[in-house]
Amino acid sequence: ERLLRDARPERPSAASLEQRLAVADILAKAGSKSAPTQLDGLTIEARIGGGAMGVVYRAHDPTLGRTVAVKLLRGALERARRELIVAEARALAQLSHPNVVTVHAIVDRDDELYFVMERVPGVTLRRWLDARPSASWREVLACFLQAGRGLDAAHAAGLVHRDFKPE
């Protein structure tokens, strides 16, 4: 824990946001009582998932008194790719559908790109399926239909989800 604490940069410019949040997450899991990581007024609480594109954190927004999800895209992306992702997130922010997560903010500065989104409690579709190996086809179909309705709403708005999976 001491080595991680010593490695933790105190200045925002000392390391990438991705590195700072990773170190903070490791310290939190080790039971450290260090000060919570702040990100533009949000208090990062815990890492809740991740994949090839980025890492998702649960955060608290004290201004609005709500829990949100923060998706931090991994590493430095080439400019054209960043612009495409930001354009898609901007379009998604215009979409309102019960099966589509709401985007509250897009932050694109320097080498940092992250989205502040609605936090949807629960488990992933993969975990739901794994926990119910004997679920009826009707139960499974009902869940898949919800996901399909969200995809249909996105497609109707001209968006194509390139990374759709049960996780």
Side-chain angles (χ1 to χ4, degrees), residues 5-163:
R5 188 179 308 285
D6 292 344
R8 182 180 184 169
E10 296 303 320
R11 294 172 292 125
S13 62
S16 74
L17 176 59
E18 184 177 358
Q19 291 168 327
R20 289 185 285 133
L21 289 174
V23 168
D25 187 57
I26 292 167
L27 287 171
K29 286 179 180 169
S32 172
K33 299 293 183 202
S34 61
T37 302
Q38 297 294 314
L39 177 64
D40 292 336
L42 302 173
T43 302
I44 303 297
E45 297 176 341
R47 182 183 188 277
I48 56 175
M53 287 291 292
V55 182
V56 180
Y57 295 90
R58 184 182 69 236
H60 180 71
D61 181 343
T63 303
L64 298 175
R66 65 181 173 193
T67 301
V68 295
V70 175
K71 182 173 187 176
L72 172 66
L73 279 89
R74 291 192 186 277
L77 299 168
E78 65 219 30
R79 195 78 198 131
R81 181 80 174 130
R82 284 173 76 99
E83 289 171 2
L84 176 65
I85 291 170
V86 169
E88 288 177 352
R90 204 171 272 129
L92 184 60
Q94 303 305 311
L95 187 60
S96 177
H97 189 277
N99 301 108
V100 177
V101 68
T102 301
V103 175
H104 299 303
I106 303 164
V107 178
D108 182 11
R109 67 170 172 250
D110 304 323
D111 286 333
E112 299 174 356
L113 177 58
Y114 62 90
F115 309 128
V116 180
M117 304 176 294
E118 169 188 16
R119 164 79 169 106
V120 180
V123 298
T124 66
L125 182 56
R126 168 76 63 214
R127 279 198 174 161
W128 186 88
L129 289 167
D130 289 346
R132 291 168 179 76
S134 59
S136 74
W137 66 267
R138 284 182 174 85
E139 289 176 284
V140 173
L141 179 61
C143 283
F144 277 68
L145 282 172
Q146 290 179 53
R149 288 184 185 113
L151 277 176
D152 183 54
H155 289 176
L159 297 170
V160 177
H161 197 299
R162 293 176 175 86
D163 191 27

